[in-house]
Amino acid sequence: MKKLPKEFNIQEIEKKWQRVWEETGVYHFDWNDQKRPTFSIDTPPPYPSGEFHVGLILNWTYFDMVARYKRMRGYNVHFPQGWDCHGLPVEVEVEKKHKIKKTDLPPDQFRKLCEELVNKYIAIMKEATTRLGYSIDWTTEYKTMNPDYWRRTQLSFILLYNKGFIYRGTHPVNWCPRCETAIADAEVVYQTRNAQLHHVKFKLAKGDHLEIATTRPELIPACVTVAINPTDERYKQYVGIKVHVPTTSRTVEVTTDDLVDPKFGTGIVMICTYGDKADVKSVVKQGLPVIMCINEKGKMTKKAGKYAGMETEEAKKAIIEDLKKERLLGKTESIEQEVSLCWRCHTPIEILEREQWFMKTRILTGQVEKNALEIKWYPDFMKYRLIDWAKSLEWDWVISRQRVFATPIPIWYCKKCNEVILAEPGWVPIDPRIEKPRIDKCPKCDSKEFKPERDVLDTWFDSSITCAVHAGWPDRKNWHRLFPASMHPSGVDIIRTWAYYLMVRHLALFNEKPYKSCLINGMVLGSDGREMHKSLGNYVASQEVLSKYGADATRQWAAGGGATGSDIPFRWPDVEYGWRFLIKLWNASSFVSSLLKDYAPSEKAEPSLQPLDQWILSKAERLTEKVADAFEKCQFNTALEETRNFAWHVFCDCYMEAVKDRLYKPEVYGKERKKAAQFTLSTVLHTILQLLAPITPHLTEEIFQMMYADEEGGKSLHLSHWPKADRKHVDEEAEKTGDMIMAIIAEVRREKAEKHLPLNTQIRKLTIYAGEKSKAEMIRKGQQDIAGTCKAASVEVLPEKGVGREVQPHNIFLVTGY
Ligand SMILES: [Zn+2]
Ligand SMILES: [Zn+2]
């Protein structure tokens, strides 16, 4: 056993162990080990933004604690790591950086530039995960933009196509005019905004008019009917009558639709293709025509007549002016309205019709619910987020995107007859935009010319097969060894995307649920309780935190910040408290190591334990059980608080103080009793290090290596076995006795403090009135420790009730004579 130095440099210690852990491969999953049970984590591959923000610290600390705990529980843990590379923000940045447009270059050259940028960002983020000490098995690293991952994504497309889950169709989709791509329901966010509700007059043939109310007059050229609620008596007589659509030469018929709210505006609405999802329903129900007056760039089309080419906002103004001129504009009122926005760029979305690829997801809703109820959720109520979301979906998942930097759809079309040519499983990875299909002629018409599908796949289509990919699909025959994943960790904000898409994709592909449990983390807020954002001045960079206090202090903030699943603010005081605890732990360990220099832990013959030794050993056993239970339930804040309080206040403040005298004076107490204290110090500190190991892996490893590794022959604390709760050390009687003894010592110290006396002031005589005989006997067992710690020349324990200072809550009284 080495003696720990007084000082320590956390940055050096952390870096050292990160290097050693990586070099010795302690976190590698062992495929050859058939003995240990496996535990597989479906690590979400993060999007390489170039910044490992504090929100990611929270997520990754959560699953790293699980990985480390499970490893110590004897599991062969699979903790993989990948990167979810594709996406629009990369395209936009590349365009900006190189001052080009994505269409200026062939797709493969544009891709190269995107890949360069992504690789740079991955390097930055990888360094941060290393600095935080995450026990990732880096031999598993993958990037969704690499051909090997394309192969898996494209293969999954082919399989789903052949199973009938994928279809191409013309169906209205959510469209972001800024990103110029279709987006899924999961990528739409809502915001309440002020809007102007315009009353517009639609002329009837005989000169009269009907007034409708709309917030989007620019859609008037796309009006396909004017509708009222069938129960609305006010307008009954107009049903079936034709009205003239302002700004156009068209007329439409007045129809009834029970989706119309008679209380909104005038009770008459225009149905356009498309103002919102309700319009889509009405068009389908009534078999109405579709007039697309807005295009993919958010500009008015030829169908909008004289407004063609205008931006929608421009067209709105022009149409309002024209309505005014023609005296067709009634009143305008302000209302609050919910607007649908693109989640990436917050531009209001349009609903457009365009041929797209879809995956049938709604037919799986029943299965999603059934499986979500079977899965273990941390915290439990989160399962309803998934179920409610699945049930709320009205459309299938649109999986095609009109972008460049994404996985290509492995499809061509026959130029002559338009037959769909699907890639064979053996062809992938393949980019149809560059390569031809590997067939001589069209199977239908014998034509030899093909055109590629230029659309690409939604990035969620890449990342929603990770449970299978992590397990080794499709290459490892025994991939079911790690599938379904033992745990899928996810942020509360992406249950509707990540957790949901994983579920439907694996159900469709394999008819199996992808994960057995789901660990949900909340969001990280600024210290002011608002969303953390650079523009709000409450932003904290993880680099700053790490440089100041290191990983182990930062991880304590993540573990202890709040209950699992709840949003937690970033608080510097939490990190600082974590840092002070590390100093306390180090100082205590250093002191213990000096007290143990003549102690050989190998001669573990049970020494003659004293009441205080039994007391803390018993409490340590209880703590071990409590902390294990907390880790099992993913209650990380409980695990941390319990261990930290015990280490700091019970072990350091109470026990260590109370046995010092015994350790310093074996000539008074006897060698056996000294050995008992040494055994207890060594055992309890060892337990504390193990319980803390999942949370503060670096400093605990450093202390373990200095003090215990030689004796135990262990390679790493993180490969040591979680302390077995040994019931034989749990001793109610010893705890009661120890509590009383500790309370007496604390009371004497309090008295010295009140009298402004140094703690080592000699007491001539200490009289303890136990109040009853049995209590007196218990206290007498610790009489020597009391005398030594309180510096009392003589201690007398009497069974009778007495007067003096009360020792709460034991109903004991004491009198000191100096
Ligand atoms: Zn957008
Ligand atoms: Zn053909």
Side-chain angles (χ1 to χ4, degrees):
M1 185 175 295
K2 296 184 195 81
K3 191 185 163 329
L4 263 56
K6 280 233 148 57
E7 305 281 322
F8 68 105
N9 181 328
I10 193 70
Q11 303 285 353
E12 271 173 27
I13 286 174
E14 291 186 354
K15 222 175 256 161
K16 176 178 77 186
W17 289 112
Q18 286 154 13
R19 200 189 58 239
V20 174
W21 291 333
E22 189 53 34
E23 281 168 4
T24 52
V26 293
Y27 303 131
H28 289 186
F29 178 77
D30 187 354
W31 282 99
N32 297 321
D33 180 355
Q34 301 292 340
K35 267 203 232 126
R36 282 179 298 163
T38 61
F39 188 88
S40 51
I41 295 174
D42 176 46
T43 322
Y47 178 70
S49 63
E51 203 190 341
F52 203 87
H53 56 81
V54 285
L56 292 177
I57 295 183
L58 181 71
N59 310 356
W60 260 256
T61 302
Y62 274 17
F63 29 106
D64 185 53
M65 288 187 288
V66 174
R68 289 181 181 280
Y69 170 72
K70 289 289 177 183
R71 230 176 257 120
M72 292 176 76
R73 289 312 301 228
Y75 287 86
N76 189 3
V77 172
H78 190 244
F79 187 0
Q81 187 64 62
W83 306 96
D84 187 17
C85 308
H86 291 130
L88 180 73
V90 177
E91 288 187 16
V92 175
E93 250 193 277
V94 165
E95 286 179 327
K96 238 198 257 165
K97 191 177 157 204
H98 297 276
K99 296 192 177 66
I100 51 165
K101 284 193 111 175
K102 67 173 197 270
T103 41
D104 294 346
L105 291 177
D108 54 327
Q109 285 182 33
F110 186 78
R111 259 200 84 87
K112 278 244 154 60
L113 298 178
C114 292
E115 284 172 7
E116 267 171 30
L117 186 73
V118 167
N119 279 325
K120 197 179 99 190
Y121 284 165
I122 287 176
I124 296 170
M125 293 176 77
K126 192 171 168 179
E127 201 207 313
T129 59
T130 306
R131 261 186 99 176
L132 280 151
Y134 298 140
S135 59
I136 291 160
D137 178 353
W138 285 108
T139 61
T140 62
E141 190 180 6
Y142 62 91
K143 300 169 185 173
T144 60
M145 66 180 180
N146 284 354
D148 187 58
Y149 199 93
W150 273 23
R151 175 172 64 91
R152 300 165 200 260
T153 305
Q154 290 182 325
L155 179 63
S156 74
F157 179 93
I158 295 166
L159 295 178
L160 289 180
Y161 187 100
N162 289 332
K163 286 181 108 178
F165 275 100
I166 284 181
Y167 64 94
R168 191 168 190 237
T170 304
H171 183 279
V173 289
N174 305 303
W175 187 276
C176 173
R178 204 203 70 91
C179 302
E180 284 181 48
T181 184
I183 57 176
D185 280 343
E187 294 166 300
V188 177
V189 291
Y190 300 92
Q191 201 179 66
T192 306
R193 288 186 175 181
N194 278 320
Q196 299 296 311
L197 186 65
H198 303 280
H199 288 241
V200 181
K201 292 168 185 163
F202 279 49
K203 278 190 185 154
L204 297 160
K206 48 179 185 181
D208 203 0
H209 68 262
L210 284 181
E211 202 167 287
I212 64 116
T214 178
T215 56
R216 300 201 60 191
E218 71 274 21
L219 285 173
I220 290 175
C223 172
V224 288
T225 184
V226 165
I228 60 157
N229 190 289
T231 62
D232 197 337
E233 295 293 330
R234 291 174 296 173
Y235 305 117
K236 230 174 162 178
Q237 69 272 28
Y238 297 108
V239 176
I241 284 177
K242 294 222 153 140
V243 292
H244 175 248
V245 180
T247 77
T248 73
S249 55
R250 291 185 300 114
T251 57
V252 294
E253 209 178 282
V254 178
T255 57
T256 59
D257 197 319
D258 46 20
L259 289 174
V260 176
D261 175 8
K263 288 188 205 85
F264 179 79
T266 59
I268 314 177
V269 298
M270 63 170 184
I271 289 171
C272 308
T273 49
Y274 296 98
D276 55 23
K277 278 191 165 180
D279 288 344
V280 177
K281 278 190 199 155
S282 299
V283 167
V284 173
K285 211 162 58 181
Q286 300 190 39
L288 297 165
V290 174
I291 302 170
M292 299 301 308
C293 74
I294 295 174
N295 73 8
E296 283 104 330
K297 292 190 158 75
K299 287 194 170 151
M300 305 305 286
T301 65
K302 279 185 193 148
K303 298 262 171 70
K306 63 187 266 207
Y307 310 106
M310 289 185 186
E311 303 273 347
T312 46
E313 275 307 303
E314 237 182 313
K316 183 186 254 176
K317 278 187 198 134
I319 289 177
I320 289 171
E321 278 311 307
D322 288 346
L323 292 173
K324 268 188 202 159
K325 273 185 219 152
E326 290 183 48
R327 296 177 185 280
L328 292 175
L329 192 69
K331 65 173 177 182
T332 295
E333 47 187 325
S334 278
I335 58 160
E336 285 212 322
Q337 195 183 31
E338 198 170 65
V339 190
S340 314
L341 309 172
C342 164
W343 82 321
R344 286 214 193 275
C345 71
H346 278 222
T347 303
I349 57 152
E350 298 289 349
I351 294 175
L352 299 190
E353 221 172 56
R354 188 185 182 283
E355 204 162 38
Q356 300 280 358
W357 287 96
F358 295 88
M359 175 176 162
K360 287 182 195 166
T361 47
R362 289 171 308 154
I363 55 169
L364 294 165
T365 300
Q367 281 195 64
V368 170
E369 183 177 14
K370 180 180 161 277
N371 283 288
L373 291 170
E374 284 170 17
I375 286 163
K376 178 96 193 108
W377 293 77
Y378 305 98
D380 186 60
F381 66 88
M382 288 292 180
K383 62 181 160 218
Y384 296 108
R385 298 256 176 140
L386 181 67
I387 295 170
D388 293 347
W389 172 251
K391 285 182 166 172
S392 77
L393 288 169
E394 295 177 293
W395 295 352
D396 277 336
W397 177 15
V398 53
I399 54 170
S400 49
R401 295 289 182 275
Q402 291 66 48
R403 308 297 315 174
V404 176
F405 188 50
T407 307
I409 298 176
I411 292 270
W412 299 258
Y413 305 96
C414 169
K415 261 192 183 164
K416 206 164 140 203
C417 75
N418 225 24
E419 173 77 354
V420 170
I421 316 287
L422 174 72
E424 298 279 331
W427 301 358
V428 293
I430 197 161
D431 187 347
R433 296 168 300 180
I434 296 163
E435 290 175 73
K436 288 195 170 63
R438 293 174 199 164
I439 49 171
D440 304 334
K441 54 188 189 200
C442 168
K444 209 167 156 193
C445 76
D446 289 352
S447 160
K448 291 191 161 118
E449 286 193 283
F450 307 98
K451 55 179 194 245
E453 173 57 86
R454 296 200 163 273
D455 282 359
V456 290
L457 288 165
D458 179 4
T459 44
W460 289 112
F461 205 80
D462 299 346
S463 55
S464 54
I465 50 170
T466 51
C467 295
V469 171
H470 290 156
W473 177 86
D475 306 325
R476 275 187 192 276
K477 273 208 189 85
N478 59 344
W479 65 277
H480 263 86
R481 210 178 147 197
L482 295 177
F483 184 89
S486 310
M487 175 174 278
H488 167 70
S490 177
V492 65
D493 57 329
I494 50 174
I495 291 175
R496 64 183 196 162
T497 44
W498 221 312
Y500 176 72
Y501 288 145
L502 282 170
M503 186 59 84
V504 288
R505 291 262 275 141
H506 290 87
L507 283 176
L509 279 165
F510 311 112
N511 205 18
E512 269 182 275
K513 64 170 169 270
Y515 42 85
K516 293 181 212 160
S517 71
C518 199
L519 166 62
I520 302 297
N521 64 269
M523 301 287 99
V524 174
L525 308 172
S527 54
D528 54 2
R530 293 191 292 173
E531 199 181 324
M532 191 183 273
H533 206 275
K534 278 179 182 153
S535 67
L536 294 175
N538 61 3
Y539 183 84
V540 179
S542 51
Q543 249 66 4
E544 188 191 343
V545 189
L546 289 175
S547 301
K548 225 166 162 181
Y549 294 108
D552 282 358
T554 309
R555 292 170 60 114
Q556 287 178 70
W557 156 74
T564 302
S566 63
D567 290 349
I568 73 166
F570 178 81
R571 283 177 292 235
W572 279 108
D574 283 10
V575 185
E576 282 151 13
Y577 186 81
W579 171 238
R580 285 206 305 279
F581 173 68
L582 294 177
I583 296 173
K584 184 80 191 175
L585 179 68
W586 180 269
N587 289 344
S589 305
S590 168
F591 186 58
V592 170
S593 73
S594 72
L595 294 172
L596 297 183
K597 56 181 185 291
D598 59 344
Y599 173 71
S602 44
E603 39 171 307
K604 254 185 189 160
E606 283 285 303
S608 46
L609 295 171
Q610 297 302 294
L612 282 185
D613 306 331
Q614 284 164 337
W615 168 76
I616 196 155
L617 286 168
S618 179
K619 281 191 183 293
E621 286 311 317
R622 249 184 240 284
L623 174 76
T624 302
E625 276 179 31
K626 231 186 257 176
V627 172
D629 184 57
F631 274 122
E632 292 291 341
K633 293 176 178 155
C634 294
Q635 293 166 347
F636 309 114
N637 55 341
T638 306
L640 173 65
E641 288 320 321
E642 291 285 347
T643 315
R644 213 156 52 173
N645 284 336
F646 176 86
W648 200 319
H649 304 299
V650 182
F651 183 63
C652 296
D653 292 351
C654 295
Y655 180 76
M656 278 171 65
E657 291 302 325
V659 294
K660 268 183 197 168
D661 206 58
R662 201 185 333 155
L663 287 153
Y664 290 149
K665 295 179 191 152
E667 68 280 6
V668 177
Y669 294 82
K671 271 192 186 143
E672 279 309 299
R673 291 184 174 188
K674 176 183 173 184
K675 214 167 117 190
Q678 286 178 317
F679 166 82
T680 308
L681 282 173
S682 169
T683 308
V684 176
L685 179 61
H686 191 277
T687 300
I688 289 170
L689 293 177
Q690 287 190 301
L691 302 189
L692 283 171
I695 307 170
T696 57
H698 303 89
L699 200 70
T700 50
E701 177 83 300
E702 175 78 6
I703 299 169
F704 171 83
Q705 293 288 342
M706 301 274 282
M707 294 179 64
Y708 299 97
D710 287 349
E711 298 292 338
E712 287 183 23
K715 192 157 135 189
S716 166
L717 171 65
H718 304 291
L719 297 180
S720 72
H721 204 282
W722 186 259
K724 252 206 192 101
D726 190 348
R727 270 275 151 188
K728 100 173 176 249
H729 284 306
V730 175
D731 183 339
E732 301 263 355
E733 197 66 18
E735 284 193 45
K736 236 193 253 165
T737 308
D739 282 343
M740 263 190 274
I741 296 167
M742 290 312 314
I744 290 165
I745 293 172
E747 198 50 47
V748 173
R749 293 178 142 228
R750 203 169 297 131
E751 188 192 62
K752 285 183 179 174
E754 280 169 19
K755 290 185 169 163
H756 303 288
L757 296 169
L759 282 178
N760 60 3
T761 305
Q762 287 293 325
I763 294 172
R764 195 175 33 82
K765 184 171 184 192
L766 173 61
T767 314
I768 301 167
Y769 297 96
E772 49 188 270
K773 208 176 150 212
S774 62
K775 264 193 200 169
E777 273 163 22
M778 285 158 88
I779 296 166
R780 273 187 204 120
K781 290 186 195 159
Q783 201 164 337
Q784 210 172 9
D785 282 332
I786 295 172
T789 311
C790 298
K791 311 287 172 220
S794 95
V795 174
E796 191 177 11
V797 184
L798 302 168
E800 57 254 40
K801 278 193 192 314
V803 285
R805 284 184 75 93
E806 188 183 351
V807 181
Q808 282 175 336
H810 303 280
N811 205 22
I812 297 168
F813 291 84
L814 51 85
V815 175
T816 45
Y818 291 93

